[in-house]
Structures are given as C-alpha cells and as structure tokens.
Amino acid sequence: MCRVIAIANQKGGVGKTTTSINLGVGLARLGQRVLLVDADPQGHLTLGLGFPKNLKVTLKNMMENIIMGIEFEPREAILSHKEGVDVIPSNKLLTGMDMSLITVDDRECVLKEYLELLQDDYDYIIIDCMPSLGMLTINAMTAANSVLIPVQPQFYAADGLTELLKVYKGTKQRFNPEIEIEGILFTMDASRYNNSRRNKKAVHTAYGNDVNIFADAIPRSEAIAEIASEGMSIFEYDRQSKGAESYEKLAREVLSHAKTK
Ligand SMILES: Nc1ncnc2c1ncn2[C@@H]1O[C@H](COP(=O)(O)OP(=O)(O)O)[C@@H](O)[C@H]1O
Ligand SMILES: [Mg+2]
C-alpha cells in the first residue's frame, strides 16, 4: 500500500525541500518505489534535482485537469531522476493555484484525487510543501497519510509549530480523519552548541508528549548545503558524510513506522 507523506512547515528555510529529496532517495535506496511531488511554486525540489525551471507540464496542469474534470494521462508530468526516484515538478506557474482553488468545489481534495491515480505505482509519495498554510498545504495534508515536520532548533521554533498543528488538527477533523504526524525532525542541528540543545529541549517540553520527535537530528553540514546546486542527493554527493548517515537513519525509521501500520 502506498503511503503519502507531506513535508510541511509554514516557515521557509527549515529544510523541507532538503528532507523531501534525501528522505525520498533514502527510501528508494532501500528498495521502495518513490514519487516526489513539488508543491511549492518556488520549484526548489525541481531545481534541486537538476531539472529546468521552464518545464511545460507540471503539477499545475495535472491539478487543473482534475479541477476541470477532463480526461488526461496522469503520468504525463512525471520525470525520472537518475537516483531512482520519480518527480512531479513545479515552477512559478503554480503561484496562482492557492487562490484559484478557493472557488473550486471540493477544493481540499484536488491533489488527493490526482495522487490517487498514481498510488498503485509507488510505495511512497512525498509532497514537498510551500512555506505557507494556504490551500496547497491543506491539499497536501488532505492527500497524506502523515505529516513530517522539519524544524530548525532556533529560539522561535516551538512558536511556529502551534499554528501548523492547528491547521493539521483542522484538516484531520474536516477532511482526513486518518492522518497522523510522522514526526518532528530537527534539521540543521548543531548540538555541540548549548543554544541548539536548549531549543530542542523547548520543543520536547512543548510537544514531546503528543507528537513523535525523531531521536536523531539532521546535522548542519556543508555537504548538505552544497547539494542544492548539484542536482543530486547527499547519498550521491558524499555517501560517507554524517548527513548521508542521518538521512539513511531517517529513511529506515520512516520505513519501520510504515511496517507497524
Ligand atoms: N542539514 C543542513 N545543513 C546545512 N544546510 C542545510 C541543511 N538542510 C538544509 N540546508 C540549506 O538550508 C536552506 C533551506 O533548506 P530547504 O530545504 O530549502 O528549506 P525549505 O524547503 O524549508 O525552505 C537551503 O539553502 C539548504 O541547502
Ligand atoms: Mg522548500
């Protein structure tokens, strides 16, 4: 059965895209069939995997086909990456989607309806969300079995999570009762600094009782920062790095989580 994971946090720059790419490739390396969906008009996942920004067929077209109820080939937008993952790209043409969804019937369910056409082909579909809590993110949460929340252990980290969890709970109540939280993942962690440790502890204190927090954080690493411009994952860029090790651990934990379902 296919599991759909939305990688969400309305804060930008917390590691959503980096986590989508490296969790996705990490799962593919463990033998899983993986589809990555770029649901951010900034198109960072698309660019970060080395695809061009002016692609003609993107997630936007696929969602429009669903909205208009026309028959279409759902795999038309899919690209293959050489590291063994498929990708549905996006670019700035997706920008208007958040607004135009507002007037659509069943507007929360458009992405879900589209991904249902593809789910037989994959073990995991990972949705890289945009940094907002608008309609596209709600669409991602409605389509998802779980939400994974990357958090940078900064001073205000715990604050922003309240808003996100409110939207999560609202979506669960109204559109997707089965959804759960995969976990909070600390990214760009520098645990050798007291500051980072203190901020992680604050998140544990505020949410640790209700929400899974992954035991292993993703370290802040030069290698991880460099892959965005290289069109590859950390596994291809530097297999021996701490970053690769930490994303492999995450992939294994996500996989074992699915097995208990
Ligand atoms: N573990 C890390 N160590 C160092 N830099 C990182 C790490 N994870 C992400 N980055 C960098 O931080 C920036 C924001 O990451 P990104 O994944 O694009 O966040 P988001 O998708 O939440 O906006 C990018 O420049 C990325 O290369
Ligand atoms: Mg991003």
Side-chain angles (χ1 to χ4, degrees), residues 102-251:
I102 288 176
T103 57
V104 172
D105 290 338
D106 288 331
R107 57 196 182 189
E108 303 78 19
C109 301
V110 175
L111 183 58
K112 179 190 173 79
E113 263 184 62
Y114 172 50
L115 296 180
E116 274 171 359
L117 303 174
L118 300 169
Q119 67 184 13
D120 287 347
D121 299 339
Y122 298 100
D123 301 304
Y124 282 93
I125 298 179
I126 294 175
I127 309 171
D128 182 23
C129 293
M130 64 190 288
S132 92
L133 295 170
M135 276 316 297
L136 270 170
T137 299
I138 291 174
N139 261 261
M141 286 197 194
T142 302
N145 298 102
S146 67
V147 185
L148 191 154
I149 308 168
V151 168
Q152 205 184 334
Q154 286 176 333
F155 184 60
Y156 292 113
D159 267 8
L161 286 176
T162 315
E163 267 322 286
L164 177 62
L165 292 174
K166 221 186 270 172
V167 170
Y168 162 80
K169 282 180 191 149
T171 308
K172 186 178 174 81
Q173 227 165 43
R174 296 169 60 201
F175 313 119
N176 187 6
E178 304 290 309
I179 194 174
E180 42 178 29
I181 295 183
E182 193 72 41
I184 291 174
L185 174 71
F186 291 118
T187 60
M188 296 178 240
D189 180 38
S191 5
R192 62 185 182 285
Y193 295 114
N194 284 333
N195 180 47
S196 201
R197 279 213 298 273
R198 197 162 41 227
N199 296 329
K200 282 194 290 183
K201 206 168 155 207
V203 172
H204 270 279
T205 308
Y207 301 104
N209 287 333
D210 307 324
V211 180
N212 173 46
I213 300 177
F214 289 102
D216 297 295
I218 307 298
R220 174 177 285 287
S221 110
E222 202 54 40
I224 293 178
E226 280 161 6
I227 57 169
S229 55
E230 300 294 331
M232 59 179 72
S233 77
I234 188 66
F235 300 104
E236 182 78 10
Y237 188 74
D238 185 356
R239 196 158 306 175
Q240 306 304 327
S241 63
K242 279 263 182 293
E245 192 186 307
S246 65
Y247 272 114
E248 185 186 336
K249 259 193 194 155
L250 176 68

Side-chain angles (χ1 to χ4, degrees), residues 56-85:
K56 291 274 183 304
V57 186
T58 62
L59 178 63
K60 172 197 147 86
N61 309 95
M62 302 295 103
M63 290 180 73
E64 278 175 351
N65 290 334
I66 296 281
I67 290 169
M68 295 189 288
I70 45 184
E71 226 171 273
F72 69 109
E73 167 47 56
R75 297 194 59 87
E76 193 192 346
I78 295 178
L79 305 169
S80 306
H81 189 265
K82 62 177 190 307
E83 291 184 59
V85 292

